Amino acid sequence: MYPDLKKTIPIDTIGVEERVSRLNKRSIKKESKVQGLKLALSMIDHTTLEGKDSPGKVKQLCQKAKMPYAPLPDLPTVAAVCVYPNMVSIAKEALKNSNVNVASVATAFPSGMAQLQVKLDDTKYAVDQGADEIDMVISRGEFLKGNYSFIFDEIAAIKEACGDAHLKVILETGELETLTNVRKASDIAMHAGADFIKTSTGKISPAATQPVTLVMLEAIRDYYRETGRMVGMKPAGGIRKAKQALQYLVLVKETLGAQWLSKDWFRFGASSLTNDLLMQIVKQETGVYQSNIYFSND
Amino acid sequence: MSDRIDVLKTYKTYVAGKFPRSESGHTYAVKNKKDKTVANACRCTRKDVRDAVVAARSAFSEWSSRSAYNRGQILYRIAEMLEGRKDQFVEELELLDIKKKDAVKEVELSVDRLVYYAGWTDKISQVFGTVNPVASQHFNFSMPDATGVVGITSPQESPLLGLISTIAPVIAGGNVCVVLSSEKYPLPAVSFGEVLHASDVPGGVVNILTGYQKEMIDHLSSHMDVNGILNTNSEKNIRKQIDENSSLSVKRTYHLTENNWIETEHENPYYILNFQEIKTTWHPIGV
């Protein structure tokens, strides 16, 4: 159902930033910190989206996804591995008999500059290859022109092409200029059937920021109150440190409640965050500050 | 109007090329031999050590890949800048009740020591590198190479000369360092940070923390991202703690205790070699 955009609330940028900085002052220590770090680890979409990706690299990435750090075998696995469509079958094979999902970007990622038919084919190909989750990009050009119904129809069409696969809609907030636009795009995506809304491709700077995430989380909350349907959230790009990850978890808890604190409803799109989380977890276990050289690079 | 209250300077730390205060915001009073407070210094703790190691690590690749000649130029530049601020350092040492004559001598020796190690940077690999005879068709040679991040516990006495005698050989060899300055006399160390800042040394190559060494040594010597420890603290328990912690990640560990830093034995290329790794290359040659 198409949302009434006249009712989109304008966003108070200063207010959002102040709320974020207030929430960032929460101090999380000891057991709760360890719990938070492990939760964050279980929410990662371990990602490689480079032109030079090879089957070998994807296999290594999957190995790390299943067993993030061999000396601590009880750690949770990451939530999913995120790759380009032509790497999906390799990841699927490497991850069989594990509970790690395969996510694939599709729809002419990262620019989204292609015909709808091309995007649909791209999506169907990824699903046929075995992707459990599809990360699509919206046409930012059309959005900025004000062609909102185009975006709505596009998302609805891709959702249909996904079948059983979960659909994450990338808004690429770094190109949407204002927080009010972010709110509008979030509303459109959710009404068009998105299972998750996601901040960024990771190819544009700024990528995920906390103010943008807060605006999207509030959109999810309002949508949930209106329709009763839960939608997930995925900030992606630029989240490299465990400390940032914990700050994001606080935002989620304070905006949406504990119900959303699970990998089913919240994900981090990241690659280097995994190692920093592992280093912090090992620091908590041993009391000794860690070095990157003792952790695999994948 | 003579009963004015003096404004005592709070000396800050030198980390990543900046002058931050300690993370906790705590300070401690620096006293002279007559137990009179002469200044305040930051009381750094665990998190300051952590931040300093991160800063050092990120400076390492750039510093170690500079040409040895360039590192020599920069060390010489530090000596020049120190010479230019001689009076300030003499005054600071006098503030701590060191006699003027001794203070002047300490500053001058410090400058000379920097010049000494500046000269060695581009000679270390000629003198200590080797070409090794091997039985196969290979050209085989071994070269000294920088170790990485070195933690230094600076001597309590000779607050400037001891500091420079420990830092200079470490950075001359392309390493970066985190220095815990003299607890009793930290002032010259922080002022030396200002000299480093003004002399082309990239931020993060030398990081200077002040505070109680006991509160920091455990975290510094157990840190897995620290590759070497140069200790001048002679307390038995501290030596033992450093040795045990160093074994966690097999750090190069040297204890230089009970020293008279004025002695010329501290001008010694083997102090550079202490924090070098010898890398050997097998290069195939034609028949």
Side-chain angles (χ1 to χ4, degrees):
Chain A
M1 194 192 62
Y2 191 74
D4 182 1
L5 292 174
K6 287 198 197 89
K7 284 192 195 150
T8 303
I9 49 167
I11 304 295
D12 166 11
T13 309
I14 304 290
V16 168
E17 280 165 4
E18 281 182 355
R19 176 146 179 84
V20 165
S21 82
R22 199 158 60 241
L23 292 176
N24 281 352
K25 292 199 180 78
R26 291 285 164 84
S27 173
I28 301 171
K29 302 280 180 209
K30 307 267 164 67
E31 293 86 16
S32 6
K33 184 171 180 183
V34 175
Q35 209 184 352
L37 292 169
K38 288 185 179 170
L39 182 63
L41 182 65
S42 76
M43 290 171 163
I44 286 182
D45 279 4
H46 205 39
T47 304
T48 183
L49 295 171
E50 286 172 16
K52 62 179 183 186
D53 284 348
S54 63
K57 183 175 180 194
V58 170
K59 280 179 198 159
Q60 257 178 304
L61 193 81
C62 293
Q63 188 54 40
K64 176 131 175 183
K66 285 192 286 186
M67 175 71 80
Y69 184 60
L72 295 176
D74 293 336
L75 285 181
T77 64
V78 305
V81 163
C82 184
V83 292
Y84 274 117
N86 56 348
M87 292 292 164
V88 167
S89 59
I90 292 153
K92 193 75 188 165
E93 170 70 20
L95 290 171
K96 69 179 177 197
N97 301 328
S98 77
N99 56 2
V100 181
N101 280 351
V102 177
S104 171
V105 296
T107 70
F109 180 92
S111 68
M113 300 294 250
Q115 299 304 308
L116 181 61
Q117 194 53 48
V118 175
K119 295 182 183 180
L120 288 171
D121 291 345
D122 199 16
T123 308
K124 279 179 194 147
Y125 172 75
V127 174
D128 287 345
Q129 293 287 303
D132 306 298
E133 302 168 7
I134 297 292
D135 290 27
M136 71 167 285
V137 289
I138 64 168
S139 303
R140 282 87 75 190
E142 294 297 328
F143 180 87
L144 292 173
K145 269 190 231 166
N147 201 351
Y148 301 134
S149 57
F150 180 92
I151 305 295
F152 183 89
D153 295 343
E154 186 181 56
I155 296 170
I158 302 287
K159 170 71 184 165
E160 203 182 334
C162 283
D164 289 339
H166 268 58
L167 177 65
K168 305 195 198 106
V169 178
I170 303 172
L171 309 180
E172 193 61 303
T173 52
E175 291 184 339
L176 295 187
E177 312 292 348
T178 66
L179 289 179
T180 305
N181 276 349
V182 170
R183 172 70 193 227
K184 249 184 222 169
S186 306
D187 287 345
I188 295 170
M190 289 185 293
H191 279 95
D195 297 302
F196 264 74
I197 50 177
K198 172 174 167 185
T199 58
S200 326
T201 59
K203 305 288 183 193
I204 296 280
S205 185
T209 65
Q210 291 177 351
V212 155
T213 305
L214 181 61
V215 168
M216 291 168 71
L217 289 170
E218 284 177 348
I220 291 172
R221 182 189 61 199
D222 294 347
Y223 179 76
Y224 176 67
R225 283 179 185 163
E226 191 186 322
T227 66
R229 184 170 83 93
M230 281 172 81
V231 174
M233 170 70 200
K234 176 176 171 185
I239 306 166
R240 297 193 178 85
K241 297 286 169 200
K243 191 173 181 179
Q244 289 173 297
L246 292 178
Q247 290 171 342
Y248 275 94
L249 292 184
V250 171
L251 289 185
V252 177
K253 170 77 167 61
E254 291 301 321
T255 315
L256 294 171
Q259 216 184 339
W260 260 265
L261 284 179
S262 107
K263 67 173 181 177
D264 296 331
W265 302 109
F266 192 76
R267 297 283 178 85
F268 291 106
S271 40
S272 54
L273 174 64
T274 314
N275 266 7
D276 201 60
L277 285 170
L278 290 174
M279 273 168 43
Q280 298 310 318
I281 292 170
V282 178
K283 157 76 175 68
Q284 296 296 325
E285 301 251 336
T286 61
V288 171
Y289 283 117
Q290 297 298 308
S291 165
N292 229 336
I293 59 169
Y294 300 101
F295 296 82
S296 64
N297 288 330
D298 310 307
Chain B
M1 294 295 285
S2 61
D3 47 7
R4 175 181 175 274
I5 300 170
D6 290 342
V7 177
L8 295 183
K9 181 173 175 181
T10 298
Y11 284 71
K12 297 200 276 183
T13 67
Y14 180 57
V15 174
K18 298 196 175 76
F19 296 93
R21 291 176 200 279
S22 62
E23 205 258 359
S24 62
H26 290 184
T27 58
Y28 72 107
V30 178
K31 297 184 171 169
N32 66 6
K33 282 182 184 152
K34 291 174 196 124
D35 211 32
K36 178 176 177 270
T37 302
V38 292
N40 297 303
C42 292
R43 183 174 158 187
C44 297
T45 49
R46 181 169 65 88
K47 290 193 174 165
D48 302 291
V49 171
R50 175 198 64 186
D51 293 346
V53 173
V54 170
R57 173 57 64 196
S58 54
F60 175 65
S61 86
E62 197 216 328
W63 181 244
S64 61
S65 59
R66 292 268 178 122
S67 71
Y69 175 63
N70 183 230
R71 281 202 300 271
Q73 286 177 312
I74 292 175
L75 254 78
Y76 190 81
R77 181 74 183 155
I78 305 174
E80 282 181 355
M81 298 303 286
L82 189 57
E83 179 84 42
R85 292 173 64 162
K86 214 161 105 179
D87 293 346
Q88 183 200 342
F89 280 91
V90 170
E91 265 171 40
E92 268 175 6
L93 292 172
E94 280 186 290
L95 202 59
L96 305 165
D97 289 337
I98 294 171
K99 286 198 191 91
K100 173 136 192 175
K101 186 173 64 110
D102 294 338
V104 171
K105 192 177 177 195
E106 174 156 356
V107 177
E108 284 175 351
L109 269 174
S110 301
V111 174
D112 294 352
R113 205 145 282 177
L114 281 164
V115 173
Y116 175 84
Y117 283 107
W120 264 106
T121 55
D122 58 354
K123 296 168 190 72
I124 274 287
S125 62
Q126 288 98 311
V127 176
F128 295 102
T130 55
V131 173
N132 315 314
V134 287
S136 59
Q137 286 286 344
H138 288 91
F139 176 53
N140 182 297
F141 57 97
S142 301
M143 291 294 205
D145 200 7
T147 293
V149 179
V150 178
I152 300 176
T153 61
S154 194
Q156 290 298 333
E157 306 296 331
S158 300
L160 181 65
L161 183 59
L163 178 83
I164 286 173
S165 303
T166 47
I167 293 179
V170 167
I171 62 172
N175 299 295
V176 294
C177 58
V178 175
V179 185
L180 311 184
S181 76
S182 167
E183 198 168 299
K184 268 196 287 182
Y185 306 129
L187 308 191
V190 182
S191 299
F192 184 60
E194 290 168 13
V195 169
L196 291 169
H197 192 60
S199 48
D200 308 330
V201 183
V205 171
V206 180
N207 304 281
I208 300 173
L209 301 177
T210 59
Y212 302 139
Q213 288 197 353
K214 266 189 191 160
E215 292 179 345
M216 296 182 280
I217 283 180
D218 187 28
H219 302 290
L220 182 63
S221 59
S222 67
H223 200 309
M224 301 293 273
D225 216 13
V226 172
N227 309 103
I229 298 281
L230 174 53
N231 171 42
T232 64
N233 195 315
S234 54
E235 225 175 289
K236 257 192 179 165
N237 290 337
I238 294 217
R239 281 188 68 145
K240 183 163 171 273
Q241 185 183 39
I242 289 176
D243 285 336
E244 284 175 359
N245 283 344
S246 291
S247 70
L248 287 174
S249 62
V250 207
K251 296 176 180 70
R252 280 165 197 277
T253 305
Y254 289 91
H255 300 284
L256 272 182
T257 51
E258 312 297 335
N259 277 285
N260 187 355
W261 298 94
I262 293 172
E263 298 297 326
T264 47
E265 66 179 275
H266 288 289
E267 295 183 355
N268 183 341
Y270 285 93
Y271 284 144
I272 303 179
L273 210 61
N274 279 351
F275 292 100
Q276 299 284 290
E277 290 173 353
I278 303 297
K279 301 247 166 103
T280 295
T281 306
W282 294 70
H283 186 75
I285 48 176
V287 190

